[in-house]
Amino acid sequence: MNKVYILLLLFAIMSCGNQTELQSEINQLQTQNDSLKSELKKYENKYVFDDVKIKHFPIKGSQVKKGTKYYGEFVFVPDVRDDFVLFGTERDESKQGYEIKNPITLKTEKGDFGAYRFEVDIVSDTTNLMFKPLIKNKLSLKHQNAGYSGIMISDKLIAN
C-alpha cells in the first residue's frame, strides 16, 4: 500500500513540473502573439503594394482612324476612390514642367477597379494621350503611393 502512495505522490510531483513547463510555454506564446498583433495593427489601415500597374487600351472595339472617335481606358492600380486622373492630348507650353493643356478630370466609377474611361476625337495621323494621376487619399499620401502623384504618363495613337 505504501508503494501505491509513493507512486501517486511521485506522479503528482511530476505532473506539477509538467504544468509549470506548460504554463511557461503558454505565457511565452501569449507574449509572442500579443507582439505580432501589435505589429499587424500598424498595417491595418495601410495600402501596401509591391508594384503599380499602369495600362492604356481601347474599349468598345475602338480603332485609331482619322475622323473617328476613340474610346479608351487608362488603368492605374492601386485604385483609391479619392484619387483622380487629369487627361488631355496637348501639353501646355505656357507653363513650366509637364502640364496638360485644358485637362479633363477622369474619375473611376464604383466597381471599375482603377479604370479611368476617356474618349478623344482622332483628327490627325498621331494623337498624344497624357495622363496625370493625382493622389488625394490621405493614407496613400503618407506612404509610398505619394510618389505617383502628379507624374506625367503619356502614350501615342497612330492612325491607320
Side-chain angles (χ1 to χ4, degrees):
M1 188 76 144
N2 284 341
K3 289 182 183 179
V4 174
Y5 287 123
I6 291 174
L7 283 174
L8 286 174
L9 183 61
L10 194 58
F11 181 73
I13 291 171
M14 286 176 52
S15 72
C16 286
N18 285 344
Q19 283 183 345
T20 307
E21 287 177 35
L22 286 175
Q23 189 59 47
S24 174
E25 193 174 333
I26 288 170
N27 290 341
Q28 181 184 4
L29 290 172
Q30 185 63 47
T31 302
Q32 286 178 344
N33 187 38
D34 292 345
S35 174
L36 288 172
K37 281 183 180 178
S38 119
E39 284 300 311
L40 288 174
K41 190 113 178 120
K42 292 178 188 176
Y43 297 99
E44 193 171 85
N45 293 320
K46 293 184 181 177
Y47 299 98
V48 180
F49 297 101
D50 290 335
D51 55 8
V52 170
K53 302 288 186 201
I54 300 170
K55 183 178 179 181
H56 156 245
F57 59 92
I59 57 173
K60 297 182 182 178
S62 273
Q63 295 181 3
V64 184
K65 289 186 178 178
K66 223 176 189 180
T68 64
K69 190 171 287 285
Y70 175 84
Y71 298 92
E73 208 165 51
F74 174 76
V75 179
F76 181 76
V77 177
D79 168 41
V80 180
R81 290 285 170 239
D82 301 339
D83 302 344
F84 58 92
V85 172
L86 297 180
F87 166 73
T89 57
E90 294 179 46
R91 191 171 151 227
D92 191 343
E93 302 291 337
S94 68
K95 296 183 180 174
Q96 188 175 9
Y98 290 96
E99 294 297 325
I100 300 171
K101 186 175 187 176
N102 303 320
I104 297 168
T105 302
L106 304 177
K107 295 183 179 184
T108 61
E109 299 296 323
K110 186 176 181 179
D112 282 348
F113 304 106
Y116 298 83
R117 293 175 187 240
F118 66 92
E119 60 184 62
V120 62
D121 292 321
I122 306 295
V123 294
S124 64
D125 291 337
T126 61
T127 304
N128 292 314
L129 303 176
M130 291 176 239
F131 306 94
K132 192 173 190 176
L134 296 177
I135 309 296
K136 296 297 180 184
N137 179 273
K138 290 177 184 177
L139 188 60
S140 294
L141 288 172
K142 290 180 186 176
H143 304 295
Q144 187 75 19
N145 299 353
Y148 298 104
S149 186
I151 64 169
M152 184 71 71
I153 300 163
S154 63
D155 200 356
K156 185 176 284 201
L157 299 175
I158 300 173
N160 296 332

